[in-house]
Amino acid sequence: MSDVQAWIKETVTSNPVVLFMKGTAQFPQCGFSGRAIQLLKTSGAENIVTVNVLEDPTVRQGIKDYSSWPTIPQLYVNGEFIGGSDIMNEMFESGELQTLLKA
């Protein structure tokens, strides 16, 4: 396991809610990342750890390899990969995201 893969695994398993995104929660750098943060906050998520993939190309590629998912943002809850903004939106509309974040 590479250093970046080990760091990603440590990050997603030691924090309850982790969002790999473009930009920061305060200043998202793409619409999908902005929507993902908005959904998390509206769903009552607290202590969201965000990782700005634009700061490090090895993390940007590493998270895609880690999850076998080609796009950013990527949400992890309790170490489990949940999906990107489209999946988060579907889960939010059904109430599943709010339930998951309260568990």
Side-chain angles (χ1 to χ4, degrees):
M1 181 179 287
S2 72
D3 289 346
V4 73
Q5 293 294 307
W7 180 84
I8 289 168
K9 182 176 183 178
E10 173 66 23
T11 301
V12 301
T13 57
S14 62
N15 298 287
V17 181
V18 181
L19 183 68
F20 287 81
M21 63 182 290
K22 293 178 181 175
T24 64
Q26 296 75 27
F27 192 65
Q29 296 288 299
C30 83
F32 295 108
S33 292
R35 178 73 178 141
I37 280 292
Q38 181 183 27
L39 290 169
L40 288 172
K41 289 181 178 179
T42 303
S43 297
E46 297 177 0
N47 303 319
I48 305 164
V49 172
T50 60
V51 178
N52 182 357
V53 300
L54 299 177
E55 290 179 344
D56 187 341
T58 58
V59 171
R60 185 176 186 170
Q61 184 57 48
I63 193 60
K64 294 175 184 180
D65 297 339
Y66 183 83
S67 63
S68 299
W69 190 264
T71 59
I72 307 288
Q74 293 186 15
L75 175 65
Y76 291 80
V77 177
N78 298 322
E80 181 183 347
F81 175 59
I82 304 304
S85 61
D86 290 347
I87 291 170
M88 290 173 66
N89 200 54
E90 290 173 14
M91 291 176 70
F92 177 79
E93 289 177 0
S94 72
E96 191 179 351
L97 184 60
Q98 298 87 322
T99 302
L100 176 67
L101 293 169
K102 289 177 182 147

Coordinates of all heavy atoms in Angstrom, one line a residue:
M1 N 0.8 -1.2 0.0 CA 0.0 0.0 0.0 C 0.9 1.2 0.0 O 1.8 1.4 0.8 CB -0.9 0.0 1.2 CG -1.9 1.2 1.3 SD -2.9 1.1 2.8 CE -4.1 -0.1 2.3
S2 N 0.6 2.2 -0.9 CA 1.4 3.4 -1.0 C 1.1 4.3 0.2 O 0.2 4.1 0.9 CB 1.1 4.1 -2.3 OG -0.2 4.7 -2.2
D3 N 2.0 5.3 0.4 CA 1.8 6.2 1.5 C 0.5 7.0 1.3 O -0.2 7.1 2.3 CB 3.0 7.2 1.5 CG 4.3 6.6 1.9 OD1 4.3 5.5 2.5 OD2 5.3 7.3 1.7
V4 N 0.1 7.4 0.1 CA -1.1 8.1 0.0 C -2.3 7.2 0.2 O -3.3 7.6 0.9 CB -1.2 8.8 -1.4 CG1 -1.5 7.8 -2.6 CG2 -2.3 9.9 -1.4
Q5 N -2.3 6.0 -0.2 CA -3.3 5.0 0.1 C -3.5 4.8 1.6 O -4.6 4.7 2.2 CB -3.1 3.7 -0.6 CG -3.2 3.8 -2.1 CD -4.6 4.2 -2.6 OE1 -5.6 3.6 -2.3 NE2 -4.7 5.3 -3.4
A6 N -2.3 4.7 2.3 CA -2.4 4.5 3.8 C -2.9 5.7 4.4 O -3.7 5.6 5.4 CB -1.0 4.2 4.3
W7 N -2.6 6.9 4.0 CA -3.1 8.2 4.5 C -4.6 8.3 4.3 O -5.3 8.7 5.2 CB -2.3 9.3 3.9 CG -2.8 10.6 4.5 CD1 -2.4 11.2 5.6 CD2 -3.9 11.5 3.9 NE1 -3.1 12.4 5.8 CE2 -4.0 12.6 4.8 CE3 -4.6 11.4 2.8 CZ2 -4.9 13.6 4.6 CZ3 -5.6 12.4 2.5 CH2 -5.7 13.5 3.4
I8 N -5.1 7.9 3.1 CA -6.5 8.0 2.8 C -7.2 7.0 3.7 O -8.3 7.4 4.3 CB -6.8 7.7 1.3 CG1 -6.3 8.8 0.5 CG2 -8.2 7.4 1.1 CD1 -6.2 8.5 -1.0
K9 N -6.7 5.8 3.9 CA -7.4 4.8 4.7 C -7.5 5.3 6.2 O -8.5 5.2 6.8 CB -6.7 3.4 4.6 CG -7.3 2.4 5.5 CD -6.7 1.0 5.3 CE -7.4 0.0 6.1 NZ -6.9 -1.3 5.9
E10 N -6.4 5.8 6.7 CA -6.3 6.4 8.0 C -7.4 7.5 8.2 O -8.1 7.6 9.2 CB -4.9 6.9 8.4 CG -4.8 7.6 9.7 CD -5.0 6.7 10.9 OE1 -4.9 5.5 10.8 OE2 -5.4 7.3 11.9
T11 N -7.4 8.4 7.2 CA -8.3 9.5 7.3 C -9.8 9.1 7.3 O -10.6 9.5 8.1 CB -8.1 10.5 6.1 OG1 -6.7 10.9 6.1 CG2 -9.0 11.7 6.1
V12 N -10.2 8.2 6.4 CA -11.6 7.8 6.3 C -12.0 6.8 7.5 O -13.2 6.8 7.8 CB -12.0 7.1 4.9 CG1 -11.7 8.1 3.8 CG2 -11.3 5.8 4.7
T13 N -11.1 6.1 8.1 CA -11.4 5.2 9.2 C -11.4 5.9 10.5 O -12.0 5.4 11.5 CB -10.6 4.0 9.2 OG1 -9.2 4.3 9.2 CG2 -10.8 3.1 7.9
S14 N -10.7 7.0 10.6 CA -10.5 7.7 12.0 C -11.4 8.9 12.1 O -11.4 9.5 13.2 CB -9.1 8.0 12.2 OG -8.6 9.0 11.3
N15 N -12.2 9.2 11.1 CA -13.2 10.3 11.2 C -14.5 9.8 10.7 O -14.7 9.1 9.8 CB -12.7 11.5 10.3 CG -11.4 12.0 10.7 OD1 -11.3 12.7 11.7 ND2 -10.3 11.7 9.9
P16 N -15.6 10.2 11.5 CA -16.9 9.7 11.1 C -17.5 10.2 9.8 O -18.1 9.4 9.1 CB -17.8 10.2 12.3 CG -17.0 11.0 13.2 CD -15.6 11.0 12.7
V17 N -17.2 11.4 9.4 CA -17.7 11.9 8.1 C -16.5 12.6 7.4 O -16.0 13.6 7.9 CB -18.8 12.9 8.3 CG1 -19.4 13.5 7.0 CG2 -20.0 12.3 9.1
V18 N -16.2 12.1 6.2 CA -15.1 12.7 5.4 C -15.6 12.9 4.0 O -16.1 12.0 3.4 CB -13.8 11.7 5.4 CG1 -12.7 12.3 4.6 CG2 -13.4 11.4 6.8
L19 N -15.3 14.1 3.5 CA -15.7 14.4 2.1 C -14.4 14.9 1.4 O -13.8 15.9 1.8 CB -16.7 15.6 2.1 CG -17.2 16.0 0.7 CD1 -18.0 14.8 0.1 CD2 -18.0 17.2 0.8
F20 N -14.1 14.1 0.4 CA -13.0 14.5 -0.5 C -13.6 15.4 -1.6 O -14.6 14.9 -2.2 CB -12.3 13.3 -1.1 CG -11.5 12.5 -0.2 CD1 -12.0 11.6 0.7 CD2 -10.1 12.7 -0.2 CE1 -11.2 10.9 1.6 CE2 -9.3 12.0 0.8 CZ -9.9 11.1 1.7
M21 N -13.2 16.6 -1.7 CA -13.9 17.6 -2.5 C -12.9 18.5 -3.2 O -11.7 18.5 -2.9 CB -14.8 18.4 -1.7 CG -14.2 19.2 -0.6 SD -15.3 20.1 0.4 CE -15.9 21.4 -0.7
K22 N -13.4 19.3 -4.2 CA -12.6 20.3 -4.8 C -12.9 21.6 -4.1 O -14.0 22.1 -4.1 CB -13.0 20.4 -6.3 CG -12.6 19.2 -7.1 CD -13.1 19.3 -8.6 CE -12.7 18.1 -9.3 NZ -13.2 18.1 -10.7
G23 N -11.9 22.1 -3.4 CA -12.0 23.3 -2.6 C -12.2 22.9 -1.2 O -11.9 21.8 -0.7
T24 N -12.8 23.9 -0.4 CA -13.0 23.7 1.0 C -14.5 23.9 1.3 O -15.3 24.4 0.4 CB -12.2 24.8 1.8 OG1 -12.8 26.1 1.5 CG2 -10.8 24.7 1.6
A25 N -14.9 23.5 2.5 CA -16.3 23.7 2.9 C -16.7 25.2 2.8 O -17.8 25.5 2.4 CB -16.6 23.2 4.3
Q26 N -15.8 26.1 3.1 CA -16.1 27.5 3.1 C -16.0 28.0 1.7 O -16.7 29.0 1.3 CB -15.1 28.3 4.0 CG -15.2 28.0 5.4 CD -14.6 26.6 5.8 OE1 -13.7 26.1 5.1 NE2 -15.1 26.0 6.9
F27 N -15.2 27.4 0.8 CA -15.1 27.9 -0.6 C -15.0 26.7 -1.6 O -13.9 26.4 -2.0 CB -13.8 28.8 -0.7 CG -13.7 29.6 -1.9 CD1 -14.7 30.5 -2.3 CD2 -12.7 29.3 -2.8 CE1 -14.6 31.2 -3.5 CE2 -12.6 30.0 -4.0 CZ -13.6 31.0 -4.3
P28 N -16.1 26.1 -1.8 CA -16.0 25.0 -2.8 C -15.6 25.4 -4.2 O -16.0 26.6 -4.6 CB -17.5 24.5 -2.8 CG -18.1 25.0 -1.6 CD -17.4 26.3 -1.3
Q29 N -14.8 24.6 -4.9 CA -14.3 25.0 -6.2 C -15.1 24.4 -7.4 O -14.6 24.5 -8.5 CB -12.8 24.6 -6.3 CG -12.0 25.3 -5.3 CD -11.8 26.8 -5.7 OE1 -11.2 27.1 -6.7 NE2 -12.2 27.7 -4.8
C30 N -16.2 23.7 -7.1 CA -17.0 23.2 -8.2 C -18.4 23.0 -7.6 O -18.6 22.9 -6.4 CB -16.5 21.9 -8.8 SG -16.9 20.4 -7.9
G31 N -19.4 23.0 -8.5 CA -20.8 22.9 -8.1 C -21.1 21.7 -7.4 O -21.9 21.7 -6.4
F32 N -20.6 20.5 -7.8 CA -20.9 19.3 -7.2 C -20.3 19.2 -5.7 O -21.0 18.7 -4.8 CB -20.3 18.1 -8.0 CG -20.9 18.0 -9.4 CD1 -20.1 18.3 -10.5 CD2 -22.2 17.5 -9.5 CE1 -20.7 18.2 -11.8 CE2 -22.7 17.4 -10.8 CZ -22.0 17.7 -11.9
S33 N -19.1 19.8 -5.5 CA -18.6 19.8 -4.2 C -19.4 20.7 -3.3 O -19.7 20.4 -2.1 CB -17.1 20.3 -4.2 OG -16.3 19.3 -4.8
G34 N -19.8 21.9 -3.8 CA -20.7 22.8 -3.1 C -22.0 22.2 -2.7 O -22.5 22.3 -1.6
R35 N -22.6 21.4 -3.6 CA -23.9 20.7 -3.3 C -23.7 19.7 -2.3 O -24.5 19.5 -1.4 CB -24.4 20.1 -4.6 CG -25.7 19.3 -4.4 CD -26.9 20.2 -4.2 NE -28.1 19.5 -4.1 CZ -29.1 19.7 -3.3 NH1 -29.0 20.8 -2.5 NH2 -30.1 19.0 -3.2
A36 N -22.6 18.9 -2.3 CA -22.3 17.9 -1.3 C -22.2 18.5 0.1 O -22.8 17.9 1.0 CB -21.0 17.1 -1.7
I37 N -21.5 19.6 0.2 CA -21.3 20.2 1.5 C -22.7 20.7 2.0 O -23.1 20.5 3.2 CB -20.3 21.4 1.5 CG1 -18.9 20.9 1.5 CG2 -20.6 22.4 2.6 CD1 -18.5 20.3 2.9
Q38 N -23.5 21.3 1.1 CA -24.8 21.8 1.5 C -25.7 20.6 1.9 O -26.4 20.8 3.0 CB -25.4 22.5 0.2 CG -26.8 23.0 0.5 CD -27.4 23.6 -0.8 OE1 -27.1 23.2 -1.9 NE2 -28.3 24.6 -0.6
L39 N -25.6 19.5 1.3 CA -26.4 18.3 1.7 C -26.0 17.8 3.0 O -26.9 17.5 3.9 CB -26.3 17.2 0.6 CG -27.0 17.5 -0.7 CD1 -26.6 16.4 -1.7 CD2 -28.5 17.5 -0.6
L40 N -24.7 17.8 3.3 CA -24.2 17.3 4.6 C -24.7 18.2 5.7 O -25.2 17.8 6.7 CB -22.7 17.2 4.6 CG -22.2 16.0 3.8 CD1 -20.6 16.1 3.7 CD2 -22.6 14.7 4.4
K41 N -24.6 19.5 5.5 CA -24.9 20.5 6.5 C -26.5 20.5 6.8 O -26.9 20.5 7.9 CB -24.5 21.9 6.2 CG -23.0 22.0 6.3 CD -22.5 23.4 5.9 CE -21.0 23.6 6.1 NZ -20.5 24.9 5.8
T42 N -27.2 20.4 5.7 CA -28.7 20.4 5.8 C -29.1 19.1 6.5 O -30.2 19.1 7.2 CB -29.3 20.5 4.4 OG1 -28.9 21.7 3.8 CG2 -30.9 20.5 4.5
S43 N -28.4 18.0 6.3 CA -28.7 16.7 7.0 C -28.3 16.6 8.4 O -28.5 15.6 9.1 CB -28.0 15.6 6.2 OG -28.6 15.6 4.9
G44 N -27.6 17.7 8.9 CA -27.2 17.7 10.3 C -25.9 17.1 10.6 O -25.5 16.8 11.8
A45 N -25.0 16.9 9.6 CA -23.7 16.4 9.8 C -22.9 17.3 10.6 O -22.9 18.6 10.4 CB -23.0 16.1 8.5
E46 N -22.1 16.8 11.6 CA -21.2 17.6 12.4 C -19.8 17.1 12.3 O -19.6 15.9 11.9 CB -21.7 17.6 13.9 CG -23.1 18.2 14.1 CD -23.5 18.0 15.5 OE1 -22.8 17.5 16.4 OE2 -24.7 18.5 15.8
N47 N -18.9 18.0 12.5 CA -17.5 17.6 12.5 C -17.1 16.9 11.2 O -16.5 15.9 11.1 CB -17.1 16.6 13.7 CG -17.4 17.3 15.0 OD1 -17.2 18.5 15.2 ND2 -18.0 16.5 15.9
I48 N -17.5 17.6 10.1 CA -17.2 17.1 8.7 C -15.7 17.4 8.5 O -15.3 18.5 8.6 CB -18.1 17.8 7.7 CG1 -19.5 17.6 8.0 CG2 -17.7 17.3 6.3 CD1 -20.4 18.6 7.2
V49 N -15.0 16.3 8.1 CA -13.6 16.5 7.7 C -13.6 16.6 6.2 O -14.1 15.7 5.5 CB -12.7 15.3 8.2 CG1 -11.3 15.4 7.6 CG2 -12.7 15.3 9.7
T50 N -13.0 17.7 5.7 CA -13.0 17.8 4.2 C -11.5 17.8 3.8 O -10.6 18.2 4.5 CB -13.6 19.1 3.7 OG1 -12.9 20.2 4.3 CG2 -15.1 19.2 4.1
V51 N -11.3 17.2 2.6 CA -10.0 17.1 2.0 C -10.0 17.7 0.7 O -10.8 17.3 -0.2 CB -9.5 15.6 1.9 CG1 -8.1 15.6 1.2 CG2 -9.5 15.0 3.3
N52 N -9.3 18.8 0.5 CA -9.3 19.5 -0.8 C -8.3 18.8 -1.8 O -7.1 18.9 -1.6 CB -8.8 21.0 -0.6 CG -8.8 21.8 -1.9 OD1 -9.1 21.3 -2.9 ND2 -8.5 23.1 -1.7
V53 N -8.9 18.1 -2.7 CA -8.0 17.3 -3.6 C -7.2 18.2 -4.6 O -6.3 17.7 -5.2 CB -8.9 16.2 -4.4 CG1 -9.5 15.3 -3.5 CG2 -9.9 16.9 -5.3
L54 N -7.6 19.4 -4.7 CA -6.9 20.3 -5.6 C -5.5 20.7 -5.1 O -4.6 21.2 -5.8 CB -7.7 21.6 -5.9 CG -9.1 21.4 -6.6 CD1 -9.8 22.7 -6.7 CD2 -8.9 20.7 -7.9
E55 N -5.3 20.5 -3.8 CA -4.0 20.8 -3.1 C -2.9 19.8 -3.4 O -1.8 20.1 -3.3 CB -4.2 21.0 -1.6 CG -5.0 22.2 -1.2 CD -5.2 22.3 0.3 OE1 -4.9 21.3 1.0 OE2 -5.6 23.4 0.7
D56 N -3.3 18.6 -3.8 CA -2.3 17.5 -3.9 C -2.8 16.5 -5.0 O -3.7 15.8 -4.8 CB -2.1 16.8 -2.6 CG -1.0 15.8 -2.6 OD1 -0.6 15.4 -3.7 OD2 -0.5 15.4 -1.6
P57 N -2.1 16.6 -6.2 CA -2.5 15.6 -7.3 C -2.4 14.2 -6.9 O -3.2 13.4 -7.4 CB -1.5 16.0 -8.4 CG -0.8 17.2 -8.0 CD -1.0 17.4 -6.5
T58 N -1.5 13.8 -6.0 CA -1.4 12.4 -5.6 C -2.6 12.0 -4.8 O -3.1 10.8 -4.9 CB -0.1 12.1 -4.8 OG1 -0.1 12.9 -3.6 CG2 1.1 12.3 -5.6
V59 N -3.2 12.9 -4.0 CA -4.4 12.6 -3.2 C -5.6 12.6 -4.2 O -6.5 11.7 -4.1 CB -4.7 13.6 -2.1 CG1 -6.0 13.4 -1.5 CG2 -3.6 13.5 -1.0
R60 N -5.6 13.5 -5.1 CA -6.7 13.5 -6.1 C -6.8 12.2 -6.9 O -7.9 11.7 -7.1 CB -6.5 14.7 -7.1 CG -7.6 14.9 -8.0 CD -7.4 16.1 -8.9 NE -8.6 16.4 -9.7 CZ -8.7 17.5 -10.4 NH1 -7.8 18.4 -10.4 NH2 -9.8 17.7 -11.1
Q61 N -5.7 11.7 -7.3 CA -5.7 10.4 -8.0 C -5.9 9.3 -7.1 O -6.6 8.3 -7.3 CB -4.5 10.2 -8.9 CG -4.5 8.9 -9.7 CD -5.7 8.8 -10.7 OE1 -6.0 9.8 -11.4 NE2 -6.4 7.7 -10.6
G62 N -5.2 9.4 -5.9 CA -5.2 8.3 -4.9 C -6.6 8.0 -4.4 O -7.0 6.8 -4.2
I63 N -7.5 9.0 -4.2 CA -8.9 8.7 -3.7 C -9.7 8.0 -4.8 O -10.5 7.1 -4.5 CB -9.6 10.0 -3.2 CG1 -10.8 9.6 -2.4 CG2 -9.9 11.0 -4.3 CD1 -10.6 8.7 -1.2
K64 N -9.4 8.3 -6.1 CA -10.1 7.6 -7.2 C -9.7 6.2 -7.2 O -10.5 5.3 -7.4 CB -9.8 8.3 -8.5 CG -10.4 9.7 -8.6 CD -9.9 10.4 -9.9 CE -10.4 11.8 -10.0 NZ -10.0 12.4 -11.3
D65 N -8.4 5.9 -7.0 CA -7.9 4.5 -7.0 C -8.4 3.8 -5.7 O -8.8 2.6 -5.8 CB -6.4 4.5 -6.9 CG -5.8 5.1 -8.2 OD1 -6.5 5.2 -9.2 OD2 -4.6 5.5 -8.2
Y66 N -8.5 4.5 -4.6 CA -8.9 3.9 -3.3 C -10.3 3.4 -3.4 O -10.6 2.3 -3.0 CB -8.8 4.9 -2.2 CG -9.1 4.4 -0.8 CD1 -8.2 3.7 -0.1 CD2 -10.4 4.6 -0.3 CE1 -8.5 3.2 1.2 CE2 -10.7 4.2 1.0 CZ -9.7 3.5 1.7 OH -10.1 3.0 3.0
S67 N -11.2 4.2 -4.0 CA -12.6 3.8 -4.1 C -13.0 3.2 -5.4 O -14.2 2.7 -5.5 CB -13.5 5.1 -3.9 OG -13.2 6.0 -5.0
S68 N -12.2 3.2 -6.4 CA -12.5 2.7 -7.7 C -13.7 3.5 -8.2 O -14.6 3.0 -8.9 CB -12.8 1.2 -7.7 OG -11.7 0.5 -7.3
W69 N -13.7 4.8 -7.9 CA -14.8 5.7 -8.3 C -14.1 6.9 -9.0 O -13.2 7.5 -8.4 CB -15.5 6.2 -7.1 CG -16.8 7.0 -7.3 CD1 -16.9 8.3 -7.4 CD2 -18.1 6.4 -7.5 NE1 -18.3 8.6 -7.6 CE2 -19.0 7.5 -7.7 CE3 -18.6 5.1 -7.6 CZ2 -20.3 7.3 -8.0 CZ3 -20.0 4.9 -7.8 CH2 -20.8 6.0 -8.0
P70 N -14.5 7.2 -10.2 CA -13.8 8.2 -11.0 C -14.0 9.7 -10.8 O -13.2 10.5 -11.3 CB -14.2 7.9 -12.5 CG -15.7 7.4 -12.3 CD -15.7 6.7 -11.0
T71 N -15.0 10.0 -9.9 CA -15.3 11.4 -9.8 C -15.1 11.9 -8.3 O -15.1 11.1 -7.4 CB -16.7 11.7 -10.3 OG1 -17.6 11.0 -9.5 CG2 -16.8 11.4 -11.7
I72 N -15.0 13.2 -8.2 CA -14.9 13.9 -7.0 C -16.2 14.8 -6.9 O -16.5 15.4 -8.0 CB -13.7 14.8 -6.9 CG1 -12.4 14.0 -7.2 CG2 -13.5 15.6 -5.6 CD1 -11.9 13.1 -6.1
P73 N -16.9 15.0 -5.8 CA -16.6 14.6 -4.5 C -16.9 13.2 -4.2 O -17.6 12.5 -4.9 CB -17.5 15.6 -3.7 CG -18.7 15.8 -4.5 CD -18.1 15.8 -5.9
Q74 N -16.3 12.7 -3.1 CA -16.5 11.4 -2.6 C -16.8 11.5 -1.1 O -16.0 12.1 -0.3 CB -15.3 10.5 -2.8 CG -15.1 10.2 -4.3 CD -14.0 9.2 -4.5 OE1 -13.6 8.4 -3.6 NE2 -13.6 9.1 -5.7
L75 N -17.9 10.9 -0.6 CA -18.3 10.9 0.8 C -18.0 9.5 1.4 O -18.3 8.5 0.9 CB -19.8 11.2 0.9 CG -20.3 11.1 2.3 CD1 -19.7 12.2 3.2 CD2 -21.9 11.3 2.3
Y76 N -17.4 9.6 2.6 CA -17.2 8.4 3.5 C -17.8 8.7 4.8 O -17.7 9.7 5.4 CB -15.7 8.2 3.7 CG -15.0 7.7 2.4 CD1 -14.6 8.7 1.4 CD2 -14.7 6.4 2.1 CE1 -14.0 8.3 0.2 CE2 -14.2 6.0 1.0 CZ -13.8 6.9 0.0 OH -13.2 6.5 -1.2
V77 N -18.6 7.7 5.3 CA -19.2 7.8 6.6 C -18.8 6.5 7.4 O -19.0 5.4 6.9 CB -20.8 7.9 6.5 CG1 -21.4 7.9 7.9 CG2 -21.2 9.2 5.8
N78 N -18.2 6.7 8.5 CA -17.7 5.6 9.3 C -16.9 4.6 8.5 O -17.0 3.4 8.6 CB -18.9 4.9 10.0 CG -19.6 5.8 10.9 OD1 -19.1 6.6 11.6 ND2 -21.0 5.7 11.0
G79 N -16.0 5.2 7.7 CA -15.0 4.4 6.9 C -15.6 3.8 5.7 O -14.9 3.2 4.9
E80 N -16.9 3.9 5.4 CA -17.5 3.3 4.3 C -17.7 4.3 3.2 O -18.2 5.4 3.4 CB -18.9 2.7 4.7 CG -19.6 2.0 3.5 CD -21.0 1.5 4.0 OE1 -21.3 1.5 5.2 OE2 -21.8 1.2 3.1
F81 N -17.4 4.0 1.9 CA -17.6 4.8 0.8 C -19.1 4.9 0.5 O -19.7 3.8 0.3 CB -16.8 4.3 -0.4 CG -17.1 5.1 -1.7 CD1 -16.8 6.4 -1.8 CD2 -17.6 4.4 -2.8 CE1 -17.1 7.2 -2.9 CE2 -17.9 5.1 -4.0 CZ -17.6 6.5 -4.0
I82 N -19.6 6.1 0.5 CA -21.1 6.3 0.2 C -21.3 6.6 -1.3 O -22.2 6.0 -1.9 CB -21.7 7.4 1.1 CG1 -21.4 7.1 2.6 CG2 -23.1 7.6 0.8 CD1 -21.9 5.7 3.1
G83 N -20.6 7.5 -1.8 CA -20.7 7.9 -3.2 C -20.4 9.4 -3.5 O -19.9 10.0 -2.6
G84 N -20.8 9.8 -4.6 CA -20.6 11.2 -5.0 C -21.9 12.0 -4.8 O -22.8 11.6 -4.1
S85 N -21.9 13.2 -5.4 CA -23.0 14.2 -5.1 C -24.3 13.7 -5.6 O -25.4 13.9 -5.0 CB -22.7 15.6 -5.7 OG -22.5 15.5 -7.1
D86 N -24.3 13.0 -6.8 CA -25.6 12.4 -7.3 C -26.2 11.4 -6.3 O -27.4 11.5 -6.0 CB -25.4 11.8 -8.6 CG -25.1 12.8 -9.7 OD1 -25.3 14.0 -9.5 OD2 -24.7 12.4 -10.8
I87 N -25.4 10.5 -5.8 CA -25.9 9.5 -4.9 C -26.3 10.2 -3.6 O -27.3 9.9 -3.0 CB -24.8 8.4 -4.6 CG1 -24.7 7.6 -5.9 CG2 -25.2 7.6 -3.4 CD1 -23.5 6.7 -5.9
M88 N -25.5 11.2 -3.1 CA -25.9 11.9 -1.9 C -27.2 12.6 -2.1 O -28.0 12.6 -1.1 CB -24.8 12.9 -1.6 CG -23.5 12.4 -1.1 SD -22.2 13.6 -0.9 CE -22.8 14.6 0.4
N89 N -27.4 13.2 -3.2 CA -28.7 13.9 -3.5 C -29.9 12.9 -3.4 O -30.9 13.2 -2.8 CB -28.6 14.6 -4.8 CG -29.7 15.7 -4.9 OD1 -29.7 16.6 -4.1 ND2 -30.5 15.7 -6.0
E90 N -29.7 11.8 -4.0 CA -30.8 10.7 -4.0 C -31.1 10.3 -2.6 O -32.2 10.2 -2.2 CB -30.4 9.5 -4.9 CG -30.4 9.8 -6.4 CD -29.9 8.7 -7.2 OE1 -29.7 7.6 -6.6 OE2 -29.6 8.9 -8.4
M91 N -30.0 10.1 -1.8 CA -30.1 9.6 -0.4 C -30.8 10.7 0.4 O -31.6 10.4 1.3 CB -28.8 9.3 0.2 CG -28.2 8.0 -0.4 SD -26.5 7.6 0.2 CE -26.9 7.2 1.9
F92 N -30.4 12.0 0.1 CA -31.0 13.1 0.9 C -32.5 13.2 0.6 O -33.3 13.3 1.5 CB -30.4 14.4 0.5 CG -31.0 15.6 1.1 CD1 -30.7 16.0 2.4 CD2 -31.9 16.4 0.5 CE1 -31.2 17.1 3.1 CE2 -32.5 17.5 1.1 CZ -32.1 17.8 2.4
E93 N -32.9 13.1 -0.7 CA -34.3 13.2 -1.0 C -35.2 12.0 -0.4 O -36.3 12.2 -0.1 CB -34.5 13.2 -2.5 CG -34.0 14.5 -3.1 CD -34.1 14.6 -4.6 OE1 -34.5 13.6 -5.3 OE2 -33.7 15.6 -5.2
S94 N -34.6 10.9 -0.2 CA -35.3 9.7 0.4 C -35.2 9.7 1.9 O -35.9 8.9 2.6 CB -34.7 8.4 -0.1 OG -33.4 8.2 0.4
G95 N -34.4 10.6 2.5 CA -34.2 10.6 3.9 C -33.1 9.7 4.4 O -32.8 9.7 5.6
E96 N -32.5 8.9 3.5 CA -31.5 8.0 3.9 C -30.2 8.6 4.4 O -29.6 8.1 5.3 CB -31.2 7.0 2.7 CG -30.4 5.8 3.0 CD -30.2 5.0 1.8 OE1 -30.8 5.2 0.7 OE2 -29.4 4.0 1.9
L97 N -29.9 9.7 3.8 CA -28.6 10.4 4.2 C -28.7 10.9 5.6 O -27.8 10.7 6.4 CB -28.3 11.6 3.2 CG -27.0 12.3 3.4 CD1 -25.8 11.4 3.3 CD2 -26.8 13.5 2.5
Q98 N -29.9 11.5 5.9 CA -30.1 12.0 7.3 C -30.0 10.9 8.3 O -29.4 11.0 9.4 CB -31.4 12.8 7.4 CG -31.6 14.0 6.5 CD -32.0 13.7 5.1 OE1 -31.7 12.7 4.5 NE2 -32.9 14.6 4.5
T99 N -30.6 9.8 8.0 CA -30.6 8.6 8.9 C -29.2 8.1 9.0 O -28.7 7.8 10.2 CB -31.5 7.5 8.3 OG1 -32.8 8.0 8.2 CG2 -31.5 6.3 9.2
L100 N -28.4 8.0 8.0 CA -27.1 7.5 8.0 C -26.2 8.4 8.9 O -25.4 7.9 9.7 CB -26.5 7.4 6.6 CG -25.0 7.0 6.4 CD1 -24.9 5.5 6.8 CD2 -24.6 7.2 5.0
L101 N -26.3 9.7 8.8 CA -25.5 10.6 9.5 C -25.8 10.6 11.0 O -25.0 11.0 11.8 CB -25.6 12.0 8.9 CG -25.0 12.1 7.5 CD1 -25.3 13.4 6.8 CD2 -23.5 11.9 7.5
K102 N -27.0 10.2 11.3 CA -27.4 10.2 12.7 C -27.1 8.9 13.4 O -27.2 8.8 14.6 CB -28.9 10.5 12.9 CG -29.3 11.9 12.5 CD -30.7 12.2 12.6 CE -31.0 13.7 12.2 NZ -32.2 13.9 11.5
A103 N -26.8 7.9 12.6 CA -26.5 6.6 13.2 C -25.2 6.5 14.0 O -24.3 7.3 13.8 CB -26.5 5.5 12.1

